[in-house]
Amino acid sequence: MYPASFDYLVPATLEEALETLGRYEDDAKVLAGGQSLIPLMKLRLAAPRALVDINRLPGLDTLAEENGGLRIGALVRHKTCERSDLLGGRWGTLGAAAPLISDPIIRNLGTVCGSLAHADPQGDWGSALLAMDAEVVTRGPDGTRTIPVGELFEGPFMTTLAPTEIITEVRVPDPGPVAGGTYLKLERKVGDFATVGVAVHLSMADGRVGRAGIALTAVGPTNLRATAAEEALTGSELTDGAIREAARLAAEAAQPYSDTRGSADYKRTVVRVFTERGLRAAAEAVGAPVPPAGQGEPVTTGEALEATERHDYFSGQGTVGGVMDELGDKPGGPDGGER
Amino acid sequence: MKVTVVVNGQERSAEVEPRLLLVHLLRDRLGLTGTHIGCDTTSCGACTVLLDGTPVKSCTMFAVQADGREVTTVEGLAANGKLHPIQEGFKEEHGLQCGFCTPGMLLASKALLEENPDPSEEEIRWALSGNLCRCTGYQNIVNAVQWTARKLQSDSATTGAS
Amino acid sequence: MTQEHTAEQHWLGRSVKRKEDDRFLQGKGNYVDDINLPGMLHMSILRSPVAHARINSIDTSAAAALPGVVAVVTGELLAQHNLAWMPTLSGDTQAVLATDKVRMQGQEVACVIAEDPYVAHDALELIEVDYDPLPVVVTPQQSLEPGAPVIRDDKEDKQDNRIYHWEAGDPEATERAFAEADRVVEYETFYPRCHPAPMETCGCVADVDPVTGKATIYMTSQAPHAHRTVFALVAGLPEHQIQIISPDIGGGFGNKVPIYPGYVVATAASLLLGRPVKWIEDRTGNLISTGFARDFYMKGQLALREDGRMLGLRVNMLSDQGYAYADAQPSKLKAGLFHIVTGSYDIPAAHVVTDGAYTNKAPGGVAYRCSFRVTEASFFIERLVQTAAYELGIDPVELRRRNFIRPEQFPYTSATGFVYDSGNYEAALDKALEMLGYEDLKAEQARARQEGKLIGIGLATFTEVVGAGPSKDYDILGLKMFDSAELRVHPTGKAILKIGVQTQGQGHETTFAQIVANELGIPPQDILVQHGDTDNTPYGLGTYASRSTPTAGAATAMVSRKLRDKARELAAHLLEVAPEDLEWVGDRFQVRGAPDRQTTIQEAAFAAYTNHPQGMEAGLEGVTYYDPPNMTYPFGTYAVAVEVDRGTGQWKVRRMVAVDDCGVRINPMIVEGQIMGGLTEGFAMAAMELITFDELGNCIGSTFSDYLIPTSWETPKFELGETVTPSPHHPIGAKGVGESATVGSPAAFVNAVVDALAHAGVRELEMPIGPDKVWQAMVEAGLAE
């Protein structure tokens, strides 16, 4: 509850920030949202000698489309993404992830780039941005470089960033005119880390999958791309069989471990289920819906059912079938709501 | 370091270590004990204040970060001895029992209504999902926010304000 | 004194807005951490990282040398003052600060007292403790195995980890019942460790005046008087020189009944240093070391006739008490009120066998709105009855109806000796089923199964037992469990009521004023209710186990009637008539047959100070200590409908209907608020709350990242209903209600989720029922997507 002491610096320019980081070598941390860093400092699991507060640096809060791609600056907060009209449609994967980060108050301060720099394998942005083939732009003592998100994460809470390097923005490439996706998260309650998360993105080309992005949260040492699943879909038509196969491959790519949230087998199953549901939602988003083949089979057999009047017990809105839809209609709710 | 924060409309200054949490500045240095501490892991929201009108968890921010900014605490809601409508709503609808989570709930609710003057039950539950309560079961809190929404709408209709 | 029924009892059953709200809404509550005294120091606690270890040495020199640190206290220092160990409320002993060993992860090992809390925590990192790890015992089964490490080797001659063995009921009659039975249904379950986790953690400001020697202790206490008496015995301070003040308390739920080491060290430190010392625990300290709840293994059998009539019940229970037996519960009842386990059913024979054992975990067990283990009992019987319904092929509603205690059987003496005061279980059940639309819902469930969808319906028809309690059976450390109320009406007709109980959000400042208002006609806003200050309230045992309304509420009604009797004499004197010629009509006396001749209660009060008859004592004041003749037995039916996702195992509550009967409701708004809070906690226990341990005794669930409290998003909506069956022995017919919902609802939620899978043979899902557990059960039953 009480952090250790540190020096607090508020640079006026990015150059000054870099210079300050350099002065402290590897013992200073960048402070943006602080919603991951400060909790660690309060538990004394982190005790940097200095914090470099970049919140007052100008020009780092861009959230905009540029040349068909997307730029998310270092000071763009989760809440800005949640509220933005921009992050639907082709950017649907990101728009679905944004409301599911942590809780609504933390989303007011936490940043997308800060989340990537933190590299928590249970973090949601990592998967959403992996699925969309994003890269980060950094500034360091040697200048500017770009790092694909897939090469950013090295291990749990470990990145390929130098301690004296700052992520200035994320760039997401143009997914093409027909694209869409979603993010599904299973969490035990709002604010819990994901038990499992799956980001799905589809870029279509002439009615077939041009590029698929499937990335997994909380089932590996970092956010993982389900590469085999993506490749199986590339060039394919979207069919029920293709979706189920991709889901199966995604589950295989997962590396979950058993813990209080569930067994490894359970988590693998959720990867499969979410990948399948996510791909169906993405397929619908790109105008090529793929409903499940066959009706749900009865779970009892041979019982004659008397005709009864249907009543809307559950949602006040209709039938039991409507309820299952309603489960999916929650606005990115923590029950893994689909968009 | 010296920090100057406008708290509930009043400029307040203090000499602080960088590591002093904003919640401790408010409670221990400025004597505003209405903001409460309920956990160590940024999970509970009892410490919620408004920073330039936006809800933040004051236990997960350093006082120095609030330098030059405006903070509203629960003590800043009532004006001239008159309760803010959100406070009235919580009283009318029994939205509090022990009162410990209440300041955070009030401020998060106020911010919600400023952004969304007519929220549905779902929208209220979603917006308040960063504030834990053990006593009420949340249902009366939802009712309180909806009562307030109606009151604010009818007040503005009466005064002709837009 | 006969109970006079007033013409208009118009202050009961009214949803008066709460008087206490104004200060809470404006951030002007006065919680312990809000108290700041001149010269105050801050205390932090060093806690053991290991669960069982010998302490070889503790080096505090670096910590003591840190600028700003005033003192570092260890067990060794306390031992010199005979303060290293303290009694628990169950008559066992618990370490204040560890001396020889640590016996749980998180145990208090040293305290730093400093000028500022940041420095107090910096200093903790400088204390060096040399631990010699010992084998760890994390379950009571392990701890009772021969050869298990003896945890309480500080006790002379202690060779094992047994704490108690206690039985209730009639073993022979139960044997005969089982011999006659057509069917025997078995059920076994574990009610896992959970924690009350009020939003405000525990803490105190201890201020021992160096000149007068008076100790003023502001404390998060649900039982200030009892705590003061224990402090006097432990610390050797004269009781009249100790004042315990519970200011506003941010939730209790039983967490603030035990006495914790922090209170004792802070008080000792203040005494030694001559300055006030504040200790506010952090959430980790709260979850890892303070009074947890449950951790209870239960196994039993129900003997039935083929038609479903229950003949006998056997239950064996094993309780994990942690490293000290520290339950706050009636001393004669080692397992609290667990033997209420026959529930709402007329079961002629029962035998309950309970055992408690030590483990390397925090002490506790009785907490979290449990009514002294009624949560465990009610959960067990309602899950057993549901299981029996499946095995016999009888509808769970029908099975209950065939066995309910019938209204004409009250007062009903149960097979384990409880005398239930009143009840009408079928009425509550019928109301709940009507609100739910039960028959249609069952048909919907069958149809849903045809479409491959899983819906479950779960019920719990619980009986509670609250209001501890009659002095012949109920005491805590010998202190009888009466309670008290002291009332004075001032000359201008306003009043002050002082009570021996202690609200933590239950609204006593409003509800108790309503009780007085109902008897005397003085409006609640004219009555100041005072509690929580041992120097300024009559002696009482405090608020927990839903006892306030049954005990102090009764005392309040009785003392109000005493004053009304005196007011009658005063009115007679003013009106110059005989007292028998007067009628009381809600707030005034009227002359029978001449109603325009009247004296209001305010006029009578004024006369008490200005015009009292010769021979009568002046003033209008009284105190009543109420020894309840019996417990009260609130009850109800909870009904839950859930839907289960066959892909992920997640379950969602689609409907939750709660019908409660707590007799006469003083303030319906407050009663409903209590119920909804309890239902949320019941849902939380069923769905997500868990404190567990790995094999090294590491506590998993010591922060809110791991110990999951539901938010407004997960929490279901509740539909509330009521029936009213007054208590025949309570002066206003009221029963307690604060804990009915935590007692009754977990079984309703669990029954519902199990019911969704029961047609495929699933019978048990252990709480908390995370989606992974549901999935596992579905896989085994062939139901997974």
Side-chain angles (χ1 to χ4, degrees):
Chain A
M1 192 59 211
Y2 298 90
S5 297
F6 55 87
D7 298 336
Y8 174 73
L9 297 317
V10 188
T13 64
L14 191 53
E15 286 64 38
E16 205 183 309
L18 292 167
E19 187 269 326
T20 309
L21 283 175
R23 236 190 306 129
Y24 282 91
E25 294 174 351
D26 58 356
D27 214 356
K29 296 284 287 180
V30 172
L31 177 65
Q35 302 298 284
S36 297
L37 176 62
I38 298 177
L40 291 176
M41 291 175 69
K42 285 164 63 181
L43 295 172
R44 302 212 178 191
L45 297 172
R49 208 155 55 86
L51 290 189
V52 179
D53 186 337
I54 63 168
N55 286 286
R56 301 181 202 249
L57 295 180
L60 291 177
D61 58 356
T62 306
L63 173 65
E65 268 187 356
E66 199 175 274
N67 303 321
L70 190 68
R71 294 179 60 204
I72 308 175
L75 293 178
V76 171
R77 316 280 168 181
H78 307 309
K79 191 54 78 77
T80 308
C81 297
E82 183 179 357
R83 290 204 182 121
S84 167
D85 291 327
L86 191 55
L87 297 185
R90 304 181 312 136
W91 310 109
T93 312
L94 305 181
L100 300 180
I101 313 296
S102 193
D103 75 42
I105 304 181
I106 286 174
R107 288 200 289 279
N108 285 334
L109 283 183
T111 62
V112 179
C113 292
S115 187
L116 292 177
H118 189 57
D120 187 341
Q122 290 175 303
D124 305 299
W125 280 122
S127 294
L129 290 164
L130 266 180
M132 296 211 67
D133 247 356
E135 55 189 14
V136 297
V137 179
T138 71
R139 285 284 301 276
D142 301 328
T144 306
R145 63 172 175 144
T146 56
I147 311 172
V149 174
E151 288 165 33
L152 177 64
F153 302 138
E154 263 196 332
F157 307 100
M158 294 188 285
T159 65
T160 52
L161 292 172
T164 50
E165 203 173 356
I166 300 178
I167 298 178
T168 55
E169 67 183 83
V170 178
R171 286 204 191 129
V172 193
D174 185 344
V178 184
T182 190
Y183 183 71
L184 303 181
K185 178 177 184 177
L186 193 153
E187 55 181 358
R188 299 171 295 178
K189 56 166 272 196
V190 168
D192 190 20
F193 288 104
T195 299
V196 172
V198 176
V200 169
H201 170 81
L202 294 174
S203 292
M204 305 301 282
D206 298 322
R208 289 173 176 266
V209 175
R211 189 185 81 72
I214 302 175
L216 313 177
T217 307
V219 286
T222 67
N223 300 93
L224 296 177
R225 282 191 85 143
T227 327
E230 293 172 345
E231 283 165 7
L233 284 170
T234 308
S236 290
E237 270 181 37
L238 282 171
T239 64
D240 187 75
I243 287 177
R244 289 180 195 271
E245 176 62 7
R248 191 188 67 74
L249 289 168
E252 267 182 14
Q255 303 163 30
Y257 55 87
S258 301
D259 64 9
T260 48
R261 290 186 175 84
S263 68
D265 279 345
Y266 170 66
K267 295 181 187 183
R268 227 183 268 284
T269 301
V270 179
V271 169
R272 177 178 59 71
V273 170
F274 274 5
T275 304
E276 190 183 319
R277 291 180 186 175
L279 285 171
R280 289 190 204 283
E284 185 150 344
V286 299
V290 185
Q295 284 280 62
E297 278 161 26
V299 290
T300 56
T301 53
E303 279 199 80
L305 188 68
E306 280 158 24
T308 57
E309 213 178 296
R310 287 190 170 205
H311 289 275
D312 45 311
Y313 300 102
F314 299 107
S315 62
Q317 239 136 68
T319 63
V320 172
V323 168
M324 288 307 284
D325 289 336
E326 192 190 306
L327 270 176
D329 276 351
K330 290 269 182 275
D335 58 349
E338 306 149 8
R339 273 202 162 190
Chain B
M1 314 186 59
K2 181 166 180 223
V3 285
T4 302
V5 188
V6 175
V7 182
N8 301 329
Q10 250 198 318
E11 193 173 279
R12 309 288 300 263
S13 291
E15 197 55 48
V16 305
E17 284 185 90
R19 64 171 172 163
L20 185 76
L21 299 172
L22 177 60
V23 67
H24 289 140
L25 174 76
L26 295 168
R27 288 182 55 79
D28 302 333
R29 306 293 294 275
L30 302 182
L32 296 165
T33 57
T35 305
H36 299 141
I37 297 172
C39 75
D40 333 323
T41 47
T42 317
S43 311
C44 79
C47 65
T48 304
V49 299
L50 301 181
L51 180 70
D52 298 328
T54 302
V56 300
K57 297 192 184 187
S58 65
C59 74
T60 307
M61 234 187 115
F62 298 110
V64 290
Q65 291 176 267
D67 187 42
R69 304 182 71 172
E70 286 188 26
V71 171
T72 309
T73 70
V74 64
E75 290 95 338
L77 284 176
N80 301 320
K82 193 165 177 296
L83 292 181
H84 186 283
I86 191 67
Q87 292 167 308
E88 288 183 320
F90 270 66
K91 183 167 182 175
E92 284 297 314
E93 294 292 330
H94 191 37
L96 66 150
Q97 292 181 27
C98 82
F100 201 75
C101 78
T102 305
M105 286 288 183
L106 288 169
L107 293 167
S109 301
K110 174 180 189 280
L112 166 67
L113 289 173
E114 274 159 13
E115 190 197 325
N116 181 351
D118 189 17
S120 67
E121 166 156 10
E122 254 186 33
E123 287 168 326
I124 296 170
R125 285 178 179 269
W126 186 246
L128 297 183
S129 59
N131 294 84
L132 296 180
C133 174
R134 286 296 258 168
C135 295
T136 68
Y138 304 107
Q139 197 149 307
N140 281 347
I141 292 177
V142 171
N143 295 341
V145 176
Q146 290 181 321
W147 183 96
T148 308
R150 289 192 298 272
K151 173 135 210 289
L152 288 170
Q153 279 169 3
S154 81
D155 278 357
S156 72
T158 315
T159 61
S162 56
Chain C
M1 184 187 345
T2 57
Q3 181 175 332
E4 199 169 41
H5 290 279
T6 58
E8 312 159 25
Q9 297 215 323
H10 62 299
W11 285 105
L12 297 183
R14 269 175 71 164
S15 293
V16 175
K17 301 285 180 271
R18 295 195 338 163
K19 298 156 81 213
E20 45 267 80
D21 283 356
D22 286 331
R23 65 182 185 274
F24 295 136
L25 289 168
Q26 297 181 73
K28 299 293 184 199
N30 192 33
Y31 303 93
V32 172
D33 195 16
D34 298 343
I35 294 168
N36 292 300
L37 300 178
M40 191 172 77
L41 297 165
H42 297 264
M43 188 172 101
S44 61
I45 298 184
L46 181 71
R47 295 183 180 278
S48 161
V50 291
H52 198 199
R54 243 167 244 302
I55 297 179
N56 292 331
S57 63
I58 305 180
D59 185 353
T60 60
S61 50
L66 190 67
V69 172
V70 172
V72 184
V73 184
T74 60
E76 195 182 317
L77 177 63
L78 290 180
Q80 292 164 21
H81 299 267
N82 285 324
L83 280 176
W85 291 85
M86 62 179 182
T88 70
L89 293 174
S90 297
D92 193 0
T93 53
Q94 178 177 349
V96 177
L97 291 179
T99 47
D100 56 332
K101 286 192 336 185
V102 290
R103 295 173 169 84
M104 72 184 217
Q105 186 185 50
Q107 186 172 348
E108 301 83 355
V109 172
C111 291
V112 172
I113 294 139
E115 300 284 354
D116 144 338
Y118 281 76
V119 171
H121 284 79
D122 290 339
L124 293 179
E125 292 188 326
L126 300 175
I127 301 176
E128 284 179 31
V129 186
D130 183 17
Y131 294 106
D132 219 341
L134 294 167
V136 173
V137 177
V138 286
T139 68
Q141 292 86 356
Q142 261 183 330
S143 86
L144 291 179
E145 270 167 28
V150 176
I151 295 169
R152 296 304 302 271
D153 54 349
D154 60 291
K155 291 168 177 287
E156 215 174 292
D157 299 329
K158 187 78 180 142
Q159 303 286 350
D160 59 28
N161 294 312
R162 293 191 176 280
I163 304 175
Y164 64 81
H165 174 90
W166 190 83
E167 300 188 26
D170 183 339
E172 286 89 42
T174 308
E175 274 306 309
R176 288 194 298 276
F178 274 79
E180 286 168 25
D182 296 324
R183 304 288 298 265
V184 172
V185 176
E186 272 213 3
Y187 179 64
E188 185 174 353
T189 194
F190 172 54
Y191 205 136
R193 184 174 283 226
C194 48
H195 197 283
M199 289 315 299
E200 179 204 29
T201 59
C202 302
C204 68
V205 176
D207 182 17
V208 182
D209 187 311
V211 173
T212 64
K214 179 138 192 228
T216 305
I217 307 169
Y218 301 88
M219 197 170 139
T220 49
S221 168
Q222 293 177 233
H225 288 279
H227 284 164
R228 184 180 66 165
T229 303
V230 175
F231 261 72
L233 297 170
V234 169
L237 289 171
E239 195 169 359
H240 68 296
Q241 287 278 69
I242 304 173
Q243 180 181 13
I244 294 195
I245 299 176
S246 294
D248 291 320
I249 311 258
F253 314 119
N255 190 218
K256 293 165 178 168
V257 179
I259 294 185
Y260 298 117
Y263 302 142
V264 178
V265 181
T267 303
S270 179
L271 177 62
L272 293 171
L273 298 172
R275 291 169 66 177
V277 175
K278 173 184 270 191
W279 165 66
I280 304 293
E281 76 179 349
D282 56 22
R283 181 58 64 184
T284 302
N286 178 252
L287 291 172
I288 209 173
S289 76
T290 66
F292 71 91
R294 324 283 190 268
D295 215 335
F296 221 65
Y297 297 84
M298 301 176 279
K299 180 171 177 166
Q301 298 91 31
L302 185 60
L304 304 115
R305 285 201 314 240
E306 198 62 58
D307 66 352
R309 187 75 187 84
M310 297 173 192
L311 301 176
L313 175 68
R314 275 200 292 247
V315 186
N316 276 65
M317 173 284 270
L318 176 59
S319 165
D320 181 335
Q321 302 283 156
Y323 92 83
Y325 182 37
D327 287 342
Q329 74 195 355
S331 68
K332 297 183 176 66
L333 306 172
K334 300 299 174 196
L337 303 179
F338 180 72
H339 53 305
I340 192 74
V341 68
T342 54
S344 307
Y345 312 106
D346 183 14
I347 306 180
H351 185 213
V352 179
V353 176
T354 68
D355 286 280
Y358 288 123
T359 58
N360 288 121
K361 296 149 126 177
V366 168
Y368 201 3
R369 280 170 124 162
C370 72
S371 298
F372 303 136
R373 300 281 190 197
V374 183
T375 37
E376 289 88 323
S378 186
F379 182 77
F380 185 79
I381 187 66
E382 290 305 300
R383 287 286 300 125
L384 174 52
V385 166
Q386 182 92 351
T387 305
Y390 293 137
E391 296 207 359
L392 268 62
I394 301 177
D395 182 297
V397 168
E398 192 49 41
L399 182 60
R400 290 174 161 91
R401 276 193 213 282
R402 288 183 199 170
N403 289 284
F404 274 158
I405 302 164
R406 292 181 309 284
E408 61 271 18
Q409 289 179 279
F410 291 91
Y412 171 84
T413 303
S414 81
T416 54
F418 286 98
V419 179
Y420 294 30
D421 61 356
S422 67
N424 189 344
Y425 302 136
E426 270 211 282
L429 174 65
D430 287 337
K431 175 125 197 154
L433 296 179
E434 184 198 313
M435 288 170 67
L436 188 70
Y438 180 65
E439 291 301 327
D440 292 336
L441 195 53
K442 281 207 301 180
E444 197 66 48
Q445 177 185 43
R447 178 185 284 281
R449 283 173 183 161
Q450 290 291 313
E451 292 171 7
K453 293 177 174 145
L454 298 177
I455 292 171
I457 306 163
L459 295 178
T461 50
F462 68 94
T463 289
E464 250 274 59
V465 49
V466 297
S471 57
K472 66 175 165 45
D473 297 317
Y474 291 84
D475 69 273
I476 293 185
L477 282 184
L479 296 168
K480 298 294 187 182
M481 297 188 74
F482 52 81
D483 225 284
S484 57
E486 185 181 317
L487 180 62
R488 178 193 314 161
V489 185
H490 306 309
T492 55
K494 318 295 185 200
I496 181 165
L497 173 74
K498 305 177 186 185
I499 49 183
V501 291
Q502 173 58 50
T503 196
Q504 318 111 39
Q506 295 92 328
H508 292 174
E509 289 169 38
T510 305
T511 55
F512 278 71
Q514 285 180 251
I515 298 175
V516 175
N518 193 62
E519 300 292 338
L520 288 180
I522 301 173
Q525 64 264 28
D526 289 351
I527 303 168
L528 177 65
V529 177
Q530 188 165 290
H531 51 95
D533 178 340
T534 55
D535 276 0
N536 288 296
T537 53
Y539 202 101
L541 270 280
T543 294
Y544 41 86
S546 307
R547 65 184 299 273
S548 302
T549 296
T551 61
T556 301
M558 302 306 277
V559 75
S560 303
R561 290 172 195 176
K562 268 189 204 169
L563 265 55
R564 197 171 72 220
D565 285 348
K566 183 166 183 180
R568 176 184 285 274
E569 307 275 328
L570 288 157
H573 170 67
L574 290 177
L575 294 166
E576 295 173 330
V577 297
E580 317 78 75
D581 294 337
L582 291 173
E583 269 177 337
W584 171 256
V585 288
D587 63 351
R588 65 197 63 224
F589 291 98
Q590 288 173 352
V591 176
R592 227 179 287 272
D596 49 305
R597 298 194 61 216
Q598 50 180 237
T599 299
T600 65
I601 185 66
Q602 288 81 8
E603 287 163 343
F606 194 67
Y609 299 89
T610 62
N611 186 5
H612 61 285
Q614 291 301 300
M616 176 196 274
E617 273 185 47
L620 190 56
E621 181 165 352
V623 62
T624 295
Y625 279 72
Y626 185 78
D627 186 351
N630 190 4
M631 302 288 274
T632 65
Y633 296 77
F635 59 93
T637 297
Y638 296 150
V640 177
V642 301
E643 190 145 353
V644 174
D645 182 326
R646 290 175 65 199
T648 63
Q650 289 169 296
W651 54 276
K652 207 136 180 96
V653 174
R654 307 316 297 186
R655 303 269 318 276
M656 208 264 153
V657 166
V659 174
D660 277 273
D661 191 319
C662 55
V664 171
R665 297 185 173 199
I666 299 165
N667 184 320
M669 175 186 83
I670 287 181
V671 170
E672 289 175 1
Q674 288 283 293
I675 290 169
M676 289 193 283
L679 294 174
T680 303
E681 291 175 332
F683 166 71
M685 285 185 268
M688 60 183 74
E689 287 189 22
L690 176 68
I691 294 186
T692 190
F693 296 80
D694 68 16
E695 66 280 0
L696 295 174
N698 291 312
C699 178
I700 300 160
S702 63
T703 71
F704 278 166
S705 294
D706 298 307
Y707 190 71
L708 304 178
I709 313 279
T711 72
S712 50
W713 186 249
E714 298 82 43
T715 302
K717 281 171 65 168
F718 308 115
E719 300 163 61
L720 304 184
E722 72 177 277
T723 60
V724 180
T725 309
S727 168
H729 66 78
H730 189 280
I732 58 173
K735 305 181 178 180
V737 72
E739 296 168 314
S740 288
T742 42
V743 163
S745 69
F749 290 110
V750 176
N751 279 341
V753 184
V754 168
D755 189 62
L757 314 180
H759 59 294
V762 174
R763 290 288 173 267
E764 167 75 340
L765 288 167
E766 191 177 284
M767 296 193 287
I769 305 180
D772 56 311
K773 285 186 185 165
V774 177
W775 175 80
Q776 190 64 43
M778 290 195 299
V779 165
E780 288 161 14
L783 288 175
E785 188 180 281

